[in-house]
Amino acid sequence: MLTTRFVDGAPNWIDVGSPDIDGAASFYGALFGWRFRSAGPDAGGYGFFQLEGEGKTVAGGVQTGPGQGPAAWTVYFQSEDARATAKAAEEAHGRVLFQPTDVMGQGHMAVLADRAGVPFGIWQPGRTKGVELAGEPGSLRWVELYTPDIAAAAAFYRRVLGLETSAPFPGGTYTCFNPDGAGDDAMFGGMVPLADDPTEAEAGPYWLPYFEVEDTDAVVEQARRLGGTVRVPATTVEGVGRTARLADPYGARFAVIRSEPPRG
């Protein structure tokens, strides 16, 4: 379960890069009740999405320029030493896309890529520990890696982030992640073979964030009205919840879920 009791290897931050951050803020504000707050003139256009009413930061966002790639969400994982994690990624045949750097004393960040070229971030906490809300409506609930090689990805993230993997569904290919030694209760995400999903196979490997919502179908219709794309319509997954995969008006992919209450 994803919470704000962050441990090494678990997601602790997420942000979206968009060619129109004001347009993205309008979209996510109407969809999730987020309000965008600039981090100030020295932050290069970076800012924070805060949940209205709660006032808690649930994500970040930044304006991207030409040549900086398509609009996308980036998932960040906690590291006690960003430089050591970046070195481990290179040694595991990944890449460092953005070298570890101090972020105004708030922490150290880096952007890496795994063996399949999938970007992900590292956040070494300083004054900012991570997002202030997770697992609740309007916040990050789950992350999913679409990858061409489950075994290679499992080995990479084990070496770089210390993640353990398990297969919760007998006979299936879905593989779950949890931090080292934390057990099944700390599962925060999963892996899906790219070849098993035609929608994602065409788009290529990536990390997909899921945001908790109170009504999946209503959010899907709202996203469509706001100019977003419904990539996979609302679907009920027994024992998990009702999910849908979407993209914002600029192409950043994400998913929503109304989680099924735990049995018992």
Side-chain angles (χ1 to χ4, degrees), residues 128-152:
T128 296
K129 305 304 179 186
V131 294
E132 295 176 334
L133 192 69
E136 303 293 333
S139 67
L140 186 65
R141 176 71 180 196
W142 188 256
V143 297
E144 214 161 58
L145 175 65
Y146 287 83
T147 179
D149 189 330
I150 292 286

Side-chain angles (χ1 to χ4, degrees), residues 6-72:
F6 303 119
V7 296
D8 287 345
N12 63 347
W13 190 257
I14 186 168
D15 61 23
V16 64
S18 178
D20 183 353
I21 194 60
D22 292 332
S26 177
F27 174 83
Y28 292 107
L31 200 66
F32 296 141
W34 292 354
R35 178 174 57 89
F36 187 71
R37 179 175 64 83
S38 171
D42 297 329
Y46 201 90
F48 306 105
F49 288 108
Q50 297 181 327
L51 193 62
E52 291 182 2
E54 295 276 350
K56 293 183 177 181
T57 298
V58 292
V62 67
Q63 177 93 20
T64 57
Q68 290 185 283

Side-chain angles (χ1 to χ4, degrees), residues 3 77 80 119 131 169 222:
T3 73
F77 299 85
E80 65 178 5
V131 294
F169 307 111
Q222 178 75 327

Side-chain angles (χ1 to χ4, degrees), residues 233-259:
T235 305
T236 298
V237 181
E238 186 177 355
V240 175
R242 191 158 176 81
T243 72
R245 280 180 256 161
L246 309 171
D248 71 19
Y250 311 99
R253 296 172 286 177
F254 65 100
V256 294
I257 181 170
R258 177 184 169 88
S259 299

